[in-house]
Each structure stands twice: as structure tokens, then as C-alpha cells.
Amino acid sequence: MDRIAIQPDSFRHRNGERQSFSDRWTELAARRGIEVRRVDVYAPDFIEQLAGCDGFMWRFGFPPRPRLFAKRLLPAIEQGLGIPVFPSSRAAWHFEDKIAQHYLLQAAGIPTPRTWIFWTPARALEFCRQASYPLVLKLATGFQSANVQMLRNARAATSRVHQLFGPGVTSLSGSRTRMALHRLRAIARLISGRQLAGGTQPEERQIGYVFLQEFLPGNEFDTRVTVISDRAFAFRRFNRPNDFRASGSGRIDWDPAQIALDAVRLAFQVARRLQTECIAVDVLRRGEEYVINEISYTFASWAVRDCPGHWVLNEGPGTGRLRWIEGQMAPEDAIFDDFIAKLPSRGA
């Protein structure tokens, strides 16, 4: 009998829906006659817990503690034990790191908004003096449009350069007073032992770089395409009112007739070029061209699940035929089906 190790995960979204990939995977494994060993990645004997297991699955999220640990742990299991893991190293090494994503997409020849990353203040300041505005400033970390800010002039850009090459920042939103109070509350929770139970995580200070992108006008929405193996789920996310950011707005349109198939093809191209088993891409338009804004291996499962169907691609992403498959599918199910096909006993 196959045996897989699963690290529990649980998260409650803003809409009140609870998400647990691990609970669903455990349920699916029982139906397929696969033994599940629930493990604790933070235990001193964790590697010993994996003895006799044919694979390991852990849906880790955006907070720093699990994310930074998982990026160290998963490659160790994948390479050291030689068993399949989800997410794989290819899928997860750049997760929640916009700088890594930029260099990866650029090296892979994938179209993105024009981007400038500076590692010295002199070069950043010189660029800001001569640049055309507006520009978009991003921190390496942040999801649902957090830590993304429009810079409308050189004065605003120069101020941010001095911050990022000075004391650094933990956020691009909110007043200094509010952020200071937030940090004090986080410290109090940590001292009292309530830090992790409540889901609040230590903030990461961003310092020593500046990440700027061109602003792409005329994008009232982005297209989120999630590719899981040979399936593509897509929906449109409209911007917040009086804002240029779409991620986290909650204003979703699942109508497949409104999805640009060129955006779906581009998402398939990205997944195949990066050789990743699961990737969500945010697609924008630069004139008539589609570009990739950001990528992630994980996402809110309910938004993908509520797609009325998905596309599969026959042959290459450039010219292959996209075939529509009617009916909803939970992304957890697709991920699990693909994963168990990789187990040694399945001939992977």
C-alpha cells in the first residue's frame, strides 16, 4: 500500500470560508486506499517521521515562518530522500519573492512589465531623477496587492529610495503610527505565546534594494490563470474602486466567454517553460501584448473551484487546440491526482 506524509494546514479566508488542502487530501487518499501519515514538520524527529513514506505534501502559505522553513525543508526531502514532494522545488523556490520571480521570468524569456531592480542607492536615485512617471513600486513580499504602491513623481520615488536604502520598511501601506502599533502588538503576542496561534506572523524588513515596474494603463482587471498540469482555470479580477490593483479585490468574474484565450495560452507557456506542476499567473495587457505580472504556486482554492470549467491544451501552447471541459473541479483534487501519479509504485 502506498503511504504519503501530509503536513496539516488550515486557513480562513476573508469571506469566512475555511481552506484546508491537507484535510481534502486525507479524504481523497482514504477513498483511493492510500495510507496517510500526518506529520509535524516542526518536530525534532520530523525526518524520522517520513520513514517508509512514498511522498510528502505540504501546502504552506504566505506568512514568513512556514514559508521560509518550507523553502529549506522541501528541497532537502526531494533531494535527500528522493521522494516526490508537493510543491516541488521548481514550483516553490520563488514563492512570495517578486525579485526571484522577475529574474526567473526574464531568464526564461517570458514577457513581463518592464522592470528595474536597483541594488545601490546611487543608481536608484539617478534613475528616479530621469524616469517617466507614474511607476509602480513593489516590495519582494506581499500578497493580495499588499506592498504595491504607485509613485507619481520623482519626489515620492526618491523618498522611498532613501527609506529602502536606509532603515528599510516592513510595509508600503498605512501610517508610521499604525505600523508601529502593529509591531508592538505583534511583540506582545510573541511574548505572551499567542503569536502563532492567532495566525499573525513576524514582519520581514525589506532593505537594500528598490523594485520598480512600468505602470500599464487601461487594465481595469487582470486575468488570473491557474495551471495544474494540463488544466487551466481562469477568471477576471476587477480593480478595487479608484485603484489600479486587482489582486485581493474580491471582484471576480468567472464567465469563461470573457476570458482571452491568448492569456490562457500564455499561462500554459509559462507552466511548461518553468516545468512546474502548479502555478497561478496574473496576466495584464501592454497594448496588444499579454504580459505576466506575478506568479505563485498557491492561491485561494475557492476562487479556482468556482470556475465553471477549465481548459486543456492539446499539443504546444502556441498553436495547440484549447478544449473546454465543463464542470467545477477543486484544485486540491487536481493536485492530489497528479501527485499520486508520481509515486514510485505508479511507475512515475
Side-chain angles (χ1 to χ4, degrees), residues 96 98 135-151 160 169-174 206 209 211-215 240 243-248 282 284 293-294:
E96 185 58 354
K98 295 179 182 65
L135 291 170
V136 177
L137 172 68
K138 295 183 176 182
L139 299 185
T141 62
F143 66 104
Q144 294 185 339
S145 295
N147 295 335
V148 176
Q149 183 183 64
M150 184 179 291
L151 301 176
R160 285 301 193 185
V169 300
T170 56
S171 173
L172 294 180
S173 61
Q206 303 297 304
Y209 71 90
F211 183 114
L212 296 170
Q213 280 188 337
E214 66 173 326
F215 171 65
R240 296 172 171 85
D243 202 333
F244 70 101
R245 299 169 299 176
S247 178
D282 301 341
L284 294 173
N293 192 30
E294 293 178 13

Side-chain angles (χ1 to χ4, degrees), residues 52-256:
C53 292
D54 302 298
F56 172 62
M57 306 183 78
W58 179 15
R59 185 274 175 191
F60 63 92
F62 293 87
R65 183 177 186 248
R67 168 170 46 86
L68 296 176
F69 180 35
K71 288 185 178 185
R72 294 166 174 160
L73 182 64
L74 287 164
I77 298 169
E78 194 173 33
Q79 297 177 36
L81 295 181
I83 61 175
V85 301
F86 179 85
S88 67
S89 297
R90 287 184 180 273
W93 74 266
H94 50 74
F95 172 60
E96 185 58 354
D97 185 342
K98 295 179 182 65
I99 294 175
Q101 292 172 20
H102 164 69
Y103 287 126
L104 174 63
L105 295 173
Q106 183 183 43
I110 294 166
T112 65
R114 193 175 180 191
T115 301
W116 301 268
I117 300 176
F118 299 100
W119 297 101
T120 64
R123 288 178 175 174
L125 290 169
E126 177 64 22
F127 175 84
C128 291
R129 282 192 289 268
Q130 301 179 12
S132 297
Y133 293 88
L135 291 170
V136 177
L137 172 68
K138 295 183 176 182
L139 299 185
T141 62
F143 66 104
Q144 294 185 339
S145 295
N147 295 335
V148 176
Q149 183 183 64
M150 184 179 291
L151 301 176
R152 299 189 179 278
N153 52 55
R155 180 178 178 181
T158 299
S159 175
R160 285 301 193 185
V161 169
H162 287 305
Q163 281 184 305
L164 286 161
F165 283 103
V169 300
T170 56
S171 173
L172 294 180
S173 61
S175 67
R176 292 184 179 181
T177 300
R178 188 181 68 82
M179 288 189 287
L181 288 172
H182 178 75
R183 286 194 292 271
L184 287 173
R185 293 191 187 103
I187 292 170
R189 281 190 291 268
L190 182 62
I191 294 172
S192 66
R194 294 184 291 113
Q195 173 74 28
L196 297 174
T200 302
Q201 301 285 334
E203 294 173 312
E204 296 173 277
R205 182 163 296 276
Q206 303 297 304
I207 190 170
Y209 71 90
V210 170
F211 183 114
L212 296 170
Q213 280 188 337
E214 66 173 326
F215 171 65
L216 299 177
N219 284 280
E220 298 180 356
F221 59 87
D222 72 3
T223 302
R224 163 58 72 93
V225 187
T226 301
V227 177
I228 305 173
S229 186
D230 62 348
R231 318 166 192 86
F233 306 80
F235 50 84
R236 299 191 300 170
R237 303 182 299 186
F238 283 84
N239 298 346
R240 296 172 171 85
N242 303 313
D243 202 333
F244 70 101
R245 299 169 299 176
S247 178
S249 70
R251 305 174 69 191
I252 298 178
D253 174 19
W254 285 276
D255 183 359

